[in-house]
Amino acid sequence: MYNFEFVKPSSIDEAVAALGEDEAQALGGGQTLIPTLKQRLARPARLVSLSGIAEMKGVGAEGGVLTIGGGTSHATVAAEAAGSYPALAALAGNIGDPAVRNRGTIGGSLANNDPSACYPAAALGSGATIVTNAREIAADDFFKGMFTTALEEGEIITAVRFPVPQAANYQKFEQPASRFALVGVFVARGGDGVRVAVTGASEEGVFRWSEAEAALASDFSTGAIEGLSVPADGMIADLHGSKAYRAHLVGVLTRRAVSAAS
Amino acid sequence: MIEAVKSRSRKRLITLTVNGEEHEIAIRPNAMLVDVVRDQIGLTGTKSGCSSGSCGACTLLIDGRPMLACSTLAVECDGKAIRTVEDLADGERLSPIQEAFLDQGAVQCGFCTPGMLMSVTALIASNPKPSHQEIKKALEGNLCRCTGYNAIFNAVLQATGQDGIKPIMF
């Protein structure tokens, strides 16, 4: 790993200032970034650790909205959101392994937008709001394709707000070696209808399956989506599964999620 | 440019409490915790396996929680308490978890063992009677390439005083 300057600010304002320098890179839990740096795939001049910022940590529920600090670990979400948003807590509790969950953060995961990560499905499927140091971004406007988001250079995810739905469930078909989602589907039924968000499948990263959403809005049952399928075109193909296989899994996992949430 | 590189690689002092003992250590910002623990503090029980966050061999406890020392910057651990496999035994007396690993033949080459022991130590500290599913989940990040999982699983059952140990044919 190349060397770098390391700073660990204790407030969001200090972190934003520290990220204003050329070639500065924010560091969340480092569970993706550190291996990336070790492979010399990136060479930031300065790492700005977000782990010392107390105002970016914690889980709070108020008025049907769950707010999670951007620097909150997966393990903390799994434990502290279990009462207020069980589907989200279960998702967080199945990311990676215990060591990854103890360091990895929700802000880091969303900012990275790995096409097979779990949190993007939860944020898009819940209709969450991504709160940064500068603005609020609806999840529908946040994910811009594989490893790409609406975040500007130096912008930090300080919190994520999840409207807690009436019912929700996440089904993950795990790639057993990496424990990322080969395909994952998050289904949420709330006052505004039904949202179905799919991760792991598309070359464009997480997406909403609008056809299934429309069918489920009038009839929230597995029967309503029995005949629906997503086109294999644009799906990821790798040694773990073909495009057609992933497209098939989207249907299967959506039905399982609906069944579990019904 | 040369000045910038020099200042970037300048060492800084951090304080780590390792197995109850405080160490003040000079490190560069890019030093990994696993290398500092092994090479600077001299505790080589923690192993460096894949060095990319996949195998779990380097698992140790930071403030009581299992984490990967190969994917954690030492500088991030300034002021924190680290616990390694060397701290499990009391002198010559092994911990119940270590005894159980011996009894069940849960060690072959031994490279994954320190990480396994630390993951199990963290599990039992918060959950003295884990279910079979909870044991598997606690160890999902620790890989054993000698295919010793059944013996390791049995060892956790023994260490937690539970039934269900299945004999293994060697």
Side-chain angles (χ1 to χ4, degrees):
Chain A
M1 184 191 292
Y2 296 113
N3 217 334
F4 42 77
E5 184 194 2
F6 179 86
V7 290
K8 191 170 178 172
S10 55
S11 73
I12 293 167
D13 288 346
E14 287 168 24
V16 170
L19 283 166
E21 297 265 323
D22 265 0
E23 295 177 55
Q25 165 72 49
L27 171 66
Q31 299 304 284
T32 299
L33 182 58
I34 297 293
T36 305
L37 294 179
K38 282 186 160 191
Q39 293 170 55
R40 296 188 166 183
L41 294 172
R43 189 178 190 173
R46 165 190 276 193
L47 279 193
V48 180
S49 168
L50 305 178
S51 68
I53 305 173
E55 57 189 310
M56 275 175 53
K57 288 184 184 176
V59 177
E62 205 185 315
V65 176
L66 185 74
T67 302
I68 301 174
T72 310
S73 72
H74 310 328
T76 300
V77 174
E80 294 185 11
S84 48
Y85 195 170
L88 182 70
L91 174 146
N94 279 314
I95 296 172
D97 56 57
V100 166
R101 292 194 288 274
N102 281 331
R103 287 203 71 76
T105 65
I106 186 169
S109 173
L110 293 175
N112 191 44
N113 192 17
D114 187 297
S116 300
C118 297
Y119 263 134
L124 191 61
S126 305
T129 301
I130 319 296
V131 183
T132 77
N133 55 294
R135 57 189 167 139
E136 299 188 354
I137 310 167
D140 284 322
D141 303 323
F142 182 80
F143 301 103
K144 299 287 187 189
M146 205 180 262
F147 296 112
T148 312
T149 69
L151 290 173
E152 301 285 347
E153 199 76 21
E155 193 173 4
I156 303 169
I157 298 175
T158 56
V160 187
R161 288 204 304 260
F162 291 87
V164 179
Q166 292 156 5
N169 187 263
Y170 179 60
Q171 291 289 323
K172 174 184 181 180
F173 194 96
E174 200 173 80
Q175 202 279 81
S178 71
R179 288 177 296 279
F180 271 94
L182 192 65
V183 174
V185 177
F186 196 99
V187 172
R189 184 163 62 114
D192 301 336
V194 176
R195 296 174 71 102
V196 178
V198 180
T199 188
S202 169
E203 286 177 338
E204 298 299 315
V206 67
F207 70 95
R208 284 174 68 181
W209 186 13
S210 43
E211 206 184 348
E213 290 181 355
L216 289 166
S218 53
D219 174 14
F220 193 77
S221 73
T222 54
I225 50 171
E226 201 61 58
L228 297 186
S229 60
V230 293
D233 237 23
M235 295 286 126
I236 297 169
D238 57 21
L239 79 166
H240 306 298
S242 64
K243 291 169 189 277
Y245 183 63
R246 278 189 167 81
H248 177 71
L249 280 181
V250 173
V252 172
L253 296 174
T254 304
R255 289 193 291 277
R256 285 184 190 171
V258 168
S259 172
S262 295
Chain B
M1 185 60 193
I2 291 168
E3 272 312 300
V5 170
K6 269 186 189 163
S7 77
R8 207 183 287 174
S9 57
R10 193 168 290 156
K11 288 189 174 181
R12 65 161 77 188
L13 278 180
I14 62 164
T15 306
L16 298 179
T17 303
V18 183
N19 300 336
E21 196 177 313
E22 199 172 288
H23 297 262
E24 201 170 68
I25 314 157
I27 58 154
R28 293 191 201 286
N30 66 345
M32 282 298 150
L33 182 61
V34 66
D35 299 322
V36 170
V37 166
R38 287 176 54 87
D39 301 340
Q40 288 184 257
I41 298 175
L43 296 174
T44 53
T46 304
K47 303 304 178 203
S48 188
C50 69
S51 202
S52 62
S54 300
C55 79
C58 66
T59 305
L60 42 65
L61 307 188
I62 303 177
D63 289 344
R65 288 174 162 269
M67 298 191 196
L68 300 176
C70 81
S71 303
T72 303
L73 293 172
V75 68
E76 282 275 44
C77 302
D78 191 11
K80 295 193 187 296
I82 313 289
R83 193 168 181 221
T84 69
V85 69
E86 285 89 347
D87 196 45
L88 297 186
D90 181 8
E92 293 292 302
R93 200 158 50 92
L94 297 178
S95 74
I97 300 165
Q98 289 171 304
E99 283 288 359
F101 267 63
L102 275 185
D103 286 351
Q104 298 296 332
V107 179
Q108 288 189 49
C109 86
F111 209 80
C112 73
T113 310
M116 291 278 183
L117 290 170
M118 298 319 287
S119 290
V120 176
T121 298
L123 168 70
I124 296 178
S126 63
N127 185 358
K129 294 277 181 215
S131 67
H132 289 199
Q133 193 52 38
E134 286 167 338
I135 294 169
K136 288 178 184 171
K137 204 159 163 50
L139 289 174
E140 67 190 347
N142 294 88
L143 303 188
C144 165
R145 294 294 85 157
C146 304
T147 71
Y149 291 114
N150 287 328
I152 291 162
F153 186 77
N154 283 345
V156 184
L157 290 177
Q158 179 185 322
T160 53
Q162 302 196 76
D163 299 332
I165 294 175
K166 293 189 183 119
I168 292 165
M169 306 295 285
F170 288 106

